[in-house]
Amino acid sequence: MKPLVAFGAGKVILLGEHSVVYGYPAIAGPLSIGVVARGGPSRSCVLDVPVTADAAQKRMMRKAFARAAKLVGEPKVKVTLEPQLPLSAGLGSSAALAVATSRVLLQAAGQEPTAKATARLAWEMEQEFHGTPSGVDHTTSAEEKLILYRRVQAPAGVTGRARELKSPRPVSVVVALAGARSPTKLTVGALRERQARWPERYKRLFGQVGRLVTEAAKTVEAGDLEGLGDAMNVNQGLLNALGLSSPALEDMVFRLRSLGALGAKFTGAGGDGGAVIGLFPEPEPVVAQLTRDGVRCFASQLAGPRVQGDIP
Ligand code: MEV
């Protein structure tokens, strides 16, 4: 068997995390860093888990792998993972892992790793990692485009609808890590309890986020970065109202705004800490400044004419 290699992109959600779980739209884009999976000869279908994963993560990865492997007839391959992203930082590492692994499994089983086939298999793994995810993470990773995504209740395997958002201007963000990360399951679960207790109030807030996302999609397509930044700022206010932010995340949001971000918000699950994004027409000087100050950060272009790659 010839060696197999595949990539799964990490992701950032530009707007609409959490409300996307309840069927409202979200905008998300791929990072150029993610997870690389390699497949080599083996007597069985086996996963070599990354050494950087903790015991619980390793257990979950093995269960998720077994679930996906079964669906493609457990081809004889040993899959090794090389994460380029911090695990569990809100940057879609589990989806990236699921997509990279699925691409190798499909190839090992003699199947074409199309975006659709990859997304179907990765969805199986994502359910093991997150319980009831919206599907936005692995769809963004499999599509590798900036997308407007909406979850749909549909036959098994189809989790949502995605439409590419093209921008006439580069849409670039600085991604900065702040505070100690909260597991996605916890923030999603706590919000579910609050919305079950006060459904009308939370429905109103989710609806506000949904309208903002629809407006923001138009700003992307018009190349109106100022309008997009303002929508991100308002989205952050609504995420705070939903009880999903914290001092560490808010401090980083305000820091990015003070450095000239057109808009800044946390991305992903939120909680005690995680990843914060700032929209910058010129992200490199901001990354240099934050790095000098000891902040873990990088820049990524999510859409528009290519002007730069990621700065690790
Ligand atoms: C996590 O990256 C995004 C959430 O909206 C959860 C999900 O969509 O499944 C918080």
Side-chain angles (χ1 to χ4, degrees), residues 191-202:
L191 177 59
R192 192 173 289 286
E193 279 172 26
R194 288 194 292 279
Q195 74 84 34
R197 194 158 170 206
W198 299 288
E200 284 309 314
R201 179 176 303 154
Y202 281 81

Side-chain angles (χ1 to χ4, degrees), residues 173-175 283-292 295 297-299 311-312:
V173 291
V174 170
V175 183
E284 288 87 354
V286 181
V287 169
Q289 174 69 53
L290 289 171
T291 306
R292 274 197 298 277
V295 175
C297 63
F298 59 93
I311 301 167

Side-chain angles (χ1 to χ4, degrees), residues 162-212:
R163 172 168 83 75
E164 181 178 3
L165 289 179
K166 290 199 171 134
S167 169
R169 286 174 73 189
V171 177
S172 297
V173 291
V174 170
V175 183
L177 300 186
R181 163 101 163 113
S182 301
T184 303
K185 261 186 194 168
L186 281 190
T187 55
V188 170
L191 177 59
R192 192 173 289 286
E193 279 172 26
R194 288 194 292 279
Q195 74 84 34
R197 194 158 170 206
W198 299 288
E200 284 309 314
R201 179 176 303 154
Y202 281 81
K203 200 173 161 194
R204 276 201 305 275
L205 287 168
F206 293 148
Q208 284 287 330
V209 178
R211 284 170 68 171
L212 205 52

Side-chain angles (χ1 to χ4, degrees), residues 14-17 209 212 216 225-241 245 250 252-258 260-266 276-280:
L14 258 188
L15 297 104
E17 50 275 272
V209 178
L212 205 52
L225 295 185
E226 291 73 19
L228 175 61
D230 186 68
M232 288 168 68
N233 286 338
V234 177
N235 192 176
Q236 175 63 24
L238 290 166
L239 287 165
N240 198 337
S245 197
E250 293 293 323
M252 187 55 77
V253 164
F254 280 93
R255 195 161 171 180
L256 294 183
R257 287 181 192 157
S258 74
L262 298 174
K265 60 181 278 294
F266 78 70
V276 175
I277 51 171
L279 182 70
F280 288 93

Side-chain angles (χ1 to χ4, degrees), residues 11 13 16-21 90 132-137 184 187-188 268-269:
K11 69 89 195 45
I13 298 183
E17 50 275 272
H18 284 284
S19 38
V20 69
V21 174
T132 52
S134 67
V136 67
D137 289 12
T184 303
T187 55
V188 170

Side-chain angles (χ1 to χ4, degrees), residues 116 119-121 123-124 127 133-135 138-139 149-162:
K116 209 168 167 187
R120 265 178 198 271
L121 210 53
W123 170 239
E124 291 299 322
Q127 288 175 89
S134 67
H138 79 279
T139 306
Y149 176 88
R150 190 190 276 268
R151 180 181 195 172
V152 289
Q153 301 295 349
V158 183
T159 59
R161 279 199 198 100

Side-chain angles (χ1 to χ4, degrees), residues 8 29 31 47 52 129 132 139 141 155 165 177 179 193 219 222 248-249 251 261 278 281:
L31 298 172
L47 176 71
T52 48
F129 292 130
T132 52
T139 306
S141 181
L165 289 179
L177 300 186
E193 279 172 26
T219 67
L249 292 172
D251 281 355

